[in-house]
Coordinates of all heavy atoms in Angstrom, one line a residue:
Chain A
N54 N -17.3 -46.3 -72.5 CA -16.5 -46.5 -73.7 C -15.9 -45.2 -74.2 O -16.5 -44.1 -74.0 CB -17.3 -47.1 -74.8 CG -17.7 -48.5 -74.5 OD1 -16.9 -49.3 -74.0 ND2 -19.0 -48.8 -74.7
Q56 N -13.4 -43.7 -77.7 CA -12.7 -43.9 -78.9 C -11.9 -42.7 -79.3 O -12.4 -41.6 -79.0 CB -13.6 -44.3 -80.0 CG -14.2 -45.7 -79.9 CD -15.0 -46.1 -81.2 OE1 -16.2 -46.3 -81.1 NE2 -14.3 -46.2 -82.3
F58 N -10.4 -40.9 -82.8 CA -10.5 -40.9 -84.3 C -9.6 -39.8 -84.9 O -9.3 -38.8 -84.3 CB -11.9 -40.5 -84.7 CG -13.0 -41.4 -84.2 CD1 -13.7 -41.2 -83.0 CD2 -13.4 -42.5 -85.0 CE1 -14.7 -42.0 -82.6 CE2 -14.4 -43.4 -84.5 CZ -15.0 -43.1 -83.3
Q60 N -9.7 -37.5 -88.3 CA -10.5 -37.1 -89.4 C -9.5 -36.5 -90.5 O -8.9 -35.5 -90.2 CB -11.6 -36.1 -89.0 CG -12.5 -35.8 -90.2 CD -13.7 -34.9 -89.8 OE1 -13.6 -34.0 -89.0 NE2 -14.8 -35.2 -90.4
P62 N -8.2 -34.9 -94.2 CA -8.7 -33.7 -94.9 C -9.9 -33.9 -95.7 O -10.5 -32.9 -96.1 CB -7.4 -33.3 -95.7 CG -6.3 -33.9 -94.9 CD -6.8 -35.2 -94.4
W63 N -10.2 -35.1 -96.1 CA -11.4 -35.4 -96.9 C -12.7 -35.6 -96.1 O -13.7 -35.9 -96.6 CB -11.2 -36.6 -97.9 CG -10.1 -36.2 -98.8 CD1 -10.1 -35.6 -100.0 CD2 -8.7 -36.5 -98.6 NE1 -8.9 -35.5 -100.6 CE2 -8.0 -36.0 -99.7 CE3 -7.9 -37.1 -97.5 CZ2 -6.6 -36.1 -99.8 CZ3 -6.6 -37.1 -97.7 CH2 -5.9 -36.6 -98.8
G64 N -12.5 -35.6 -94.7 CA -13.6 -35.8 -93.8 C -13.8 -37.2 -93.3 O -14.7 -37.3 -92.4
Q65 N -13.1 -38.1 -93.8 CA -13.3 -39.5 -93.3 C -12.8 -39.7 -91.9 O -11.6 -39.3 -91.6 CB -12.6 -40.5 -94.2 CG -12.5 -41.9 -93.7 CD -13.8 -42.6 -93.9 OE1 -14.3 -42.9 -95.0 NE2 -14.5 -43.1 -92.8
L66 N -13.6 -40.3 -91.1 CA -13.2 -40.6 -89.7 C -12.5 -41.9 -89.6 O -13.2 -42.9 -90.1 CB -14.3 -40.5 -88.7 CG -14.7 -39.1 -88.3 CD1 -16.2 -39.0 -88.0 CD2 -13.9 -38.7 -87.0
I67 N -11.3 -42.0 -89.2 CA -10.6 -43.3 -89.1 C -10.5 -43.7 -87.6 O -10.0 -42.9 -86.8 CB -9.2 -43.1 -89.7 CG1 -9.4 -42.7 -91.2 CG2 -8.4 -44.4 -89.6 CD1 -8.2 -42.2 -91.8
N68 N -10.9 -44.9 -87.3 CA -10.8 -45.4 -85.9 C -9.3 -45.6 -85.6 O -8.6 -46.3 -86.3 CB -11.5 -46.7 -85.8 CG -13.0 -46.6 -85.9 OD1 -13.5 -45.8 -86.7 ND2 -13.7 -47.4 -85.1
F70 N -8.3 -45.9 -81.8 CA -8.3 -46.7 -80.7 C -9.7 -46.8 -80.0 O -10.4 -45.8 -80.0 CB -7.3 -46.2 -79.6 CG -5.9 -46.2 -79.9 CD1 -5.2 -45.1 -80.3 CD2 -5.2 -47.4 -79.9 CE1 -3.9 -45.1 -80.7 CE2 -3.8 -47.5 -80.2 CZ -3.2 -46.3 -80.6
Y71 N -10.0 -48.0 -79.6 CA -11.2 -48.1 -78.7 C -10.5 -48.4 -77.3 O -9.9 -49.4 -77.2 CB -12.0 -49.3 -79.2 CG -13.0 -49.7 -78.1 CD1 -14.2 -49.0 -77.9 CD2 -12.8 -50.9 -77.3 CE1 -15.1 -49.4 -76.9 CE2 -13.7 -51.3 -76.4 CZ -14.9 -50.5 -76.2 OH -15.8 -50.9 -75.2
F109 N -10.2 -36.5 -82.9 CA -11.3 -36.4 -81.9 C -11.3 -37.5 -81.0 O -11.0 -38.7 -81.3 CB -12.7 -36.5 -82.7 CG -13.0 -35.3 -83.5 CD1 -12.9 -35.3 -84.9 CD2 -13.5 -34.1 -82.9 CE1 -13.2 -34.2 -85.7 CE2 -13.8 -33.0 -83.7 CZ -13.7 -33.0 -85.1
E113 N -18.9 -42.5 -74.7 CA -20.2 -43.1 -74.8 C -21.0 -42.6 -73.6 O -20.6 -42.7 -72.4 CB -20.2 -44.6 -74.8 CG -21.6 -45.2 -75.0 CD -21.5 -46.7 -75.0 OE1 -20.7 -47.3 -74.3 OE2 -22.3 -47.3 -75.7
T116 N -26.3 -45.8 -73.8 CA -26.1 -47.0 -74.6 C -25.8 -46.5 -76.1 O -26.7 -46.0 -76.7 CB -27.3 -47.9 -74.7 OG1 -27.5 -48.3 -73.3 CG2 -26.9 -49.2 -75.5
Y117 N -24.6 -46.7 -76.5 CA -24.1 -46.4 -77.9 C -24.1 -44.9 -78.3 O -23.5 -44.6 -79.3 CB -25.0 -47.1 -78.9 CG -24.9 -48.6 -78.8 CD1 -26.1 -49.4 -78.9 CD2 -23.7 -49.3 -78.7 CE1 -26.0 -50.8 -78.9 CE2 -23.6 -50.6 -78.6 CZ -24.8 -51.4 -78.7 OH -24.7 -52.8 -78.7
K118 N -24.6 -44.0 -77.5 CA -24.6 -42.6 -77.9 C -23.3 -42.0 -77.6 O -22.8 -42.0 -76.4 CB -25.7 -41.9 -77.1 CG -25.8 -40.4 -77.4 CD -26.9 -39.7 -76.6 CE -26.8 -38.2 -76.7 NZ -27.8 -37.5 -75.9
Y119 N -22.6 -41.6 -78.6 CA -21.3 -41.0 -78.5 C -21.3 -39.5 -78.5 O -22.0 -38.9 -79.3 CB -20.3 -41.5 -79.6 CG -19.6 -42.8 -79.2 CD1 -20.3 -44.0 -79.0 CD2 -18.2 -42.8 -79.0 CE1 -19.6 -45.1 -78.7 CE2 -17.5 -43.9 -78.7 CZ -18.2 -45.1 -78.5 OH -17.6 -46.2 -78.1
I120 N -20.6 -38.9 -77.5 CA -20.4 -37.4 -77.5 C -19.0 -37.1 -77.9 O -18.1 -37.7 -77.3 CB -20.7 -36.9 -76.1 CG1 -22.0 -37.3 -75.6 CG2 -20.5 -35.4 -76.1 CD1 -23.2 -36.8 -76.4
F121 N -18.9 -36.3 -79.0 CA -17.6 -36.0 -79.5 C -16.9 -34.8 -78.8 O -17.6 -33.9 -78.4 CB -17.6 -35.7 -81.0 CG -17.6 -36.9 -81.8 CD1 -18.7 -37.8 -81.9 CD2 -16.4 -37.3 -82.5 CE1 -18.6 -39.0 -82.6 CE2 -16.4 -38.4 -83.3 CZ -17.5 -39.3 -83.3
G122 N -15.6 -34.9 -78.6 CA -14.9 -33.8 -78.1 C -14.7 -32.6 -79.1 O -15.2 -32.7 -80.2
T123 N -14.1 -31.6 -78.6 CA -14.0 -30.4 -79.4 C -12.9 -30.5 -80.5 O -12.9 -29.7 -81.4 CB -13.6 -29.2 -78.5 OG1 -12.5 -29.6 -77.6 CG2 -14.8 -28.8 -77.6
G124 N -12.1 -31.5 -80.4 CA -11.1 -31.8 -81.5 C -9.8 -31.0 -81.3 O -9.7 -30.0 -80.7
R126 N -6.8 -29.8 -83.9 CA -6.4 -29.7 -85.3 C -4.9 -29.8 -85.4 O -4.2 -28.9 -84.9 CB -6.9 -28.4 -85.9 CG -6.9 -28.3 -87.4 CD -7.6 -27.0 -87.8 NE -9.0 -27.1 -87.5 CZ -10.0 -27.7 -88.2 NH1 -9.7 -28.2 -89.4 NH2 -11.2 -27.8 -87.8
Chain B
T54 N -26.8 -53.2 -86.3 CA -28.0 -53.2 -85.5 C -28.4 -51.8 -85.2 O -29.6 -51.5 -85.0 CB -27.9 -54.0 -84.2 OG1 -26.6 -53.6 -83.6 CG2 -27.8 -55.5 -84.6
T55 N -27.4 -50.9 -85.1 CA -27.7 -49.5 -84.7 C -26.9 -48.6 -85.6 O -25.7 -48.9 -85.9 CB -27.3 -49.2 -83.3 OG1 -28.0 -50.1 -82.4 CG2 -27.7 -47.8 -82.9
F57 N -26.2 -44.4 -86.7 CA -26.2 -43.0 -86.2 C -26.0 -42.0 -87.3 O -25.2 -42.3 -88.3 CB -25.1 -42.8 -85.2 CG -25.0 -43.9 -84.1 CD1 -24.4 -45.1 -84.3 CD2 -25.7 -43.7 -82.9 CE1 -24.3 -46.1 -83.3 CE2 -25.7 -44.7 -81.9 CZ -25.0 -45.9 -82.1
Y59 N -24.8 -38.0 -87.9 CA -24.2 -36.9 -87.3 C -24.2 -35.7 -88.4 O -24.2 -36.0 -89.6 CB -22.7 -37.2 -87.0 CG -22.5 -38.2 -85.9 CD1 -22.5 -39.5 -86.1 CD2 -22.3 -37.8 -84.5 CE1 -22.4 -40.5 -85.1 CE2 -22.1 -38.7 -83.5 CZ -22.1 -40.1 -83.8 OH -21.9 -41.0 -82.8
Q61 N -21.9 -32.1 -89.2 CA -20.7 -31.4 -88.8 C -20.6 -30.1 -89.7 O -20.6 -30.2 -90.9 CB -19.4 -32.3 -89.1 CG -18.1 -31.6 -88.7 CD -16.9 -32.5 -88.9 OE1 -16.9 -33.3 -89.9 NE2 -15.9 -32.4 -88.1
K64 N -15.1 -26.7 -89.5 CA -14.2 -26.5 -88.3 C -14.9 -26.7 -87.0 O -14.4 -26.1 -86.0 CB -13.5 -25.2 -88.4 CG -12.7 -25.0 -89.7 CD -11.8 -23.8 -89.6 CE -10.9 -23.8 -90.9 NZ -10.0 -22.7 -90.9
Q65 N -15.9 -27.5 -87.0 CA -16.5 -27.9 -85.7 C -16.6 -29.4 -85.5 O -16.2 -30.1 -86.3 CB -18.0 -27.3 -85.7 CG -18.0 -25.8 -85.7 CD -19.4 -25.3 -85.4 OE1 -20.2 -25.9 -84.8 NE2 -19.6 -24.0 -85.8
S66 N -17.0 -29.7 -84.3 CA -17.1 -31.1 -84.0 C -18.3 -31.8 -84.6 O -19.1 -31.1 -85.2 CB -17.1 -31.3 -82.4 OG -17.0 -32.7 -82.1
L67 N -18.4 -33.1 -84.4 CA -19.6 -33.8 -84.8 C -20.7 -33.7 -83.8 O -20.5 -33.8 -82.6 CB -19.3 -35.3 -85.1 CG -18.6 -35.7 -86.3 CD1 -17.1 -35.3 -86.3 CD2 -18.7 -37.2 -86.6
L69 N -24.4 -35.4 -82.9 CA -25.3 -36.5 -83.1 C -26.7 -35.9 -83.4 O -27.2 -35.1 -82.6 CB -25.4 -37.4 -81.9 CG -26.3 -38.6 -82.0 CD1 -25.8 -39.6 -83.1 CD2 -26.4 -39.4 -80.7
T72 N -30.4 -41.6 -83.6 CA -29.9 -43.0 -83.5 C -31.1 -43.8 -84.1 O -32.2 -43.6 -83.7 CB -29.7 -43.3 -82.0 OG1 -28.7 -42.5 -81.5 CG2 -29.3 -44.8 -81.9
E82 N -32.2 -36.4 -81.4 CA -31.6 -35.6 -80.3 C -32.4 -34.3 -80.2 O -33.1 -33.9 -81.1 CB -30.1 -35.3 -80.6 CG -29.2 -36.5 -80.6 CD -29.2 -37.2 -79.2 OE1 -28.9 -36.5 -78.2 OE2 -29.6 -38.4 -79.2
F114 N -22.0 -31.1 -93.6 CA -21.4 -32.4 -93.8 C -22.1 -33.4 -93.0 O -22.2 -33.2 -91.7 CB -19.9 -32.3 -93.5 CG -19.1 -33.5 -93.9 CD1 -19.1 -33.9 -95.2 CD2 -18.3 -34.2 -93.0 CE1 -18.3 -34.9 -95.7 CE2 -17.5 -35.2 -93.4 CZ -17.5 -35.6 -94.8
I116 N -22.6 -37.3 -91.7 CA -21.8 -38.5 -91.5 C -22.7 -39.5 -90.8 O -23.3 -39.2 -89.8 CB -20.5 -38.2 -90.7 CG1 -19.8 -37.0 -91.2 CG2 -19.6 -39.5 -90.7 CD1 -18.6 -36.6 -90.3
T120 N -22.9 -49.6 -85.7 CA -22.3 -50.6 -84.8 C -23.1 -51.9 -84.9 O -24.3 -51.8 -85.3 CB -22.2 -50.1 -83.4 OG1 -21.4 -50.9 -82.6 CG2 -23.6 -49.9 -82.7
G121 N -22.5 -53.0 -84.5 CA -23.3 -54.2 -84.7 C -23.3 -55.1 -83.4 O -22.6 -54.7 -82.4
R124 N -20.3 -55.7 -81.1 CA -19.2 -54.7 -81.4 C -19.4 -53.5 -80.4 O -20.5 -53.1 -80.1 CB -19.3 -54.2 -82.8 CG -19.0 -55.2 -83.8 CD -19.3 -54.7 -85.2 NE -19.0 -55.7 -86.3 CZ -17.8 -55.9 -86.8 NH1 -16.8 -55.1 -86.5 NH2 -17.7 -56.8 -87.7
Y125 N -18.3 -52.9 -79.9 CA -18.4 -51.8 -79.1 C -18.0 -50.5 -79.8 O -18.4 -49.4 -79.4 CB -17.5 -52.0 -77.8 CG -18.0 -53.2 -77.0 CD1 -17.3 -54.4 -77.1 CD2 -19.1 -53.1 -76.2 CE1 -17.7 -55.5 -76.4 CE2 -19.5 -54.2 -75.5 CZ -18.8 -55.4 -75.6 OH -19.2 -56.5 -74.9
E126 N -17.3 -50.6 -80.9 CA -16.8 -49.4 -81.6 C -17.9 -49.0 -82.6 O -18.7 -49.8 -83.1 CB -15.5 -49.7 -82.3 CG -14.4 -50.1 -81.4 CD -13.2 -50.5 -82.3 OE1 -12.7 -49.6 -83.0 OE2 -12.7 -51.6 -82.1
Q127 N -17.9 -47.7 -82.9 CA -18.6 -47.2 -84.0 C -17.7 -47.1 -85.2 O -16.6 -46.7 -85.1 CB -19.3 -45.9 -83.7 CG -20.4 -45.9 -82.7 CD -21.2 -44.6 -82.6 OE1 -21.2 -43.8 -83.5 NE2 -21.8 -44.4 -81.5
Y128 N -18.3 -47.4 -86.4 CA -17.5 -47.3 -87.6 C -18.2 -46.3 -88.5 O -19.4 -46.3 -88.7 CB -17.4 -48.6 -88.3 CG -16.6 -49.6 -87.5 CD1 -17.3 -50.4 -86.6 CD2 -15.2 -49.7 -87.6 CE1 -16.6 -51.3 -85.8 CE2 -14.5 -50.6 -86.8 CZ -15.2 -51.4 -85.9 OH -14.5 -52.3 -85.1
F129 N -17.4 -45.4 -89.1 CA -18.0 -44.2 -89.8 C -17.9 -44.3 -91.3 O -16.9 -44.8 -91.9 CB -17.3 -42.9 -89.3 CG -17.7 -42.5 -88.0 CD1 -17.2 -43.1 -86.8 CD2 -18.6 -41.5 -87.8 CE1 -17.6 -42.8 -85.6 CE2 -19.0 -41.1 -86.5 CZ -18.5 -41.7 -85.4
G130 N -18.9 -43.8 -91.9 CA -18.9 -43.6 -93.4 C -18.1 -42.4 -93.8 O -17.6 -41.6 -92.9
P131 N -17.8 -42.2 -95.0 CA -16.9 -41.2 -95.5 C -17.6 -39.8 -95.5 O -16.9 -38.8 -95.8 CB -16.6 -41.6 -96.9 CG -17.7 -42.5 -97.4 CD -18.2 -43.2 -96.1
R134 N -21.4 -34.3 -98.4 CA -21.4 -32.9 -98.3 C -22.6 -32.4 -99.1 O -22.7 -32.6 -100.3 CB -20.1 -32.3 -98.9 CG -19.9 -30.8 -98.5 CD -18.5 -30.4 -98.7 NE -17.5 -31.1 -98.0 CZ -17.2 -31.0 -96.7 NH1 -17.8 -30.1 -96.0 NH2 -16.3 -31.7 -96.1

Side-chain angles (χ1 to χ4, degrees):
Chain A
N54 293 312
Q56 284 187 248
F58 299 92
Q60 188 171 37
W63 297 273
Q65 172 76 63
L66 277 151
I67 299 162
N68 290 39
F70 294 102
Y71 167 75
F109 289 106
E113 188 180 29
T116 304
Y117 294 138
K118 177 181 173 180
Y119 269 67
I120 305 299
F121 274 73
T123 49
R126 191 172 300 273
Chain B
T54 50
T55 307
F57 308 85
Y59 294 84
Q61 185 179 32
K64 299 196 176 182
Q65 293 191 24
S66 187
L67 280 73
L69 180 65
T72 301
E82 294 301 302
F114 192 54
I116 310 173
T120 190
R124 294 176 181 268
Y125 299 102
E126 298 177 57
Q127 286 191 26
Y128 297 90
F129 284 77
R134 194 164 302 281

